Each structure stands twice: as C-alpha cells, then as structure tokens.
C-alpha cells in the first residue's frame, strides 16, 4: 500500500489505513508535517481516550478533556504548527466497536478539523489504522 502525497491539503481527510504506519511517518516527514500515533488500545473509556490523545498530540495545556475542547484545540494554529499534521489512530477497531457513539462523535470532530484546515490550505490528515 502506498501512502498518499500528504502535502496535498485539498485531499486531506479522515481515512481508513491498512498499510504500515512507517509509510505514513515517512510521507509526513517528506511533506514536513507533524506526525503522531494515538494508540487506541490504551483507551478504555472516554477519560482514558482524552488522556491518550492529549499525551500523543501534545495538546495545549488548556485542553479540557471533553469533545468541545477537542474540537477547539484541533483548530488551534499554535498547536497545528506551520505546515500541518498527520495523525494515526492505531488499533482503532476494538475501540470503535466498543464505543460506537463516542467513535461517531470523535470521527465527526476529526473530519470537521480536516475541513477547517483544508479551507486554510493546510493539510490535516487522520488515518484510522
């Protein structure tokens, strides 16, 4: 499986990924994007999900560990950086199955953030692995 050209902001979105995470890491480095892997196998509930997201994405100190706060910080230019970001949600299948309502909310927030940055011509990619 080949990684997409992550420098292409107009294609950035939330996508399924079946390939090796290292391919995405290399593609992100080539595009000069920040890169993080959030391991959802460490999230047992919403609180531990927010904790893992906060740790792996190095969110701002004011992140309030709730859905509205996540939506806000994902649209924060200081957090995003100059060139954009690539986020991989590793081991997502079990969490998605066990928490379908929270997953829908999470995926919607990530999709809205990708659209927000796309309008500003900055790539924000999320890969569900």
């Amino acid at each position: 499986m080949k990684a997409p050209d992550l420098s292409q902001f107009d294609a950035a979105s939330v996508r399924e990924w079946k390939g090796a995470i290292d391919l995405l890491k290399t593609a992100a480095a080539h595009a000069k994007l920040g890169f993080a892997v959030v391991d959802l196998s460490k999230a047992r509930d919403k609180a531990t999900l927010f904790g893992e997201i906060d740790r792996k994405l190095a969110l701002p100190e004011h992140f309030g560990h709730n859905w509205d706060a996540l939506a806000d910080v994902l649209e924060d230019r200081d957090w995003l950086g100059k060139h954009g970001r690539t986020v991989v949600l590793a081991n997502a299948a079990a969490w998605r199955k066990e928490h379908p309502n929270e997953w829908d909310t999470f995926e919607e927030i990530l999709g809205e953030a990708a659209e927000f940055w796309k309008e500003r011509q900055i790539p924000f990619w999320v890969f569900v692995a």
Side-chain angles (χ1 to χ4, degrees):
M1 179 171 239
K2 182 180 176 197
D5 179 354
L6 300 183
S7 67
Q8 299 299 310
F9 69 86
D10 55 333
S13 62
V14 178
R15 297 181 177 200
E16 295 288 326
W17 180 255
K18 302 291 185 203
I21 291 173
D22 283 345
L23 290 174
L24 295 173
K25 185 175 183 178
T26 300
H30 181 68
K32 297 183 173 95
L33 302 181
F35 180 82
V37 177
V38 178
D39 185 354
L40 296 186
S41 71
K42 297 180 180 183
R44 296 174 307 285
D45 53 26
K46 202 163 33 170
T48 54
L49 171 70
F50 288 132
E52 185 66 10
I53 293 167
D54 193 2
R55 271 188 301 284
K56 296 302 183 171
L57 299 185
L59 296 176
E61 209 171 285
H62 64 270
F63 172 53
H65 289 238
N66 62 62
W67 295 124
D68 289 335
L70 181 62
D72 289 344
V73 299
L74 292 179
E75 295 178 2
D76 181 329
R77 180 61 189 248
D78 291 335
W79 168 77
L80 185 76
K82 280 186 173 180
H83 303 288
R85 282 195 187 232
T86 301
V87 176
V88 177
L89 303 176
N91 304 306
W95 204 89
R96 184 172 13 190
K97 184 178 178 183
E98 293 170 16
H99 307 278
N101 295 332
E102 285 90 351
W103 177 262
D104 289 345
T105 301
F106 188 28
E107 190 171 35
E108 181 180 333
I109 288 168
L110 294 168
E112 288 173 1
E115 285 300 316
F116 176 86
W117 291 114
K118 189 182 301 186
E119 291 169 7
R120 286 148 185 84
Q121 300 183 350
I122 299 170
F124 179 72
W125 294 88
V126 179
F127 292 93
V128 180

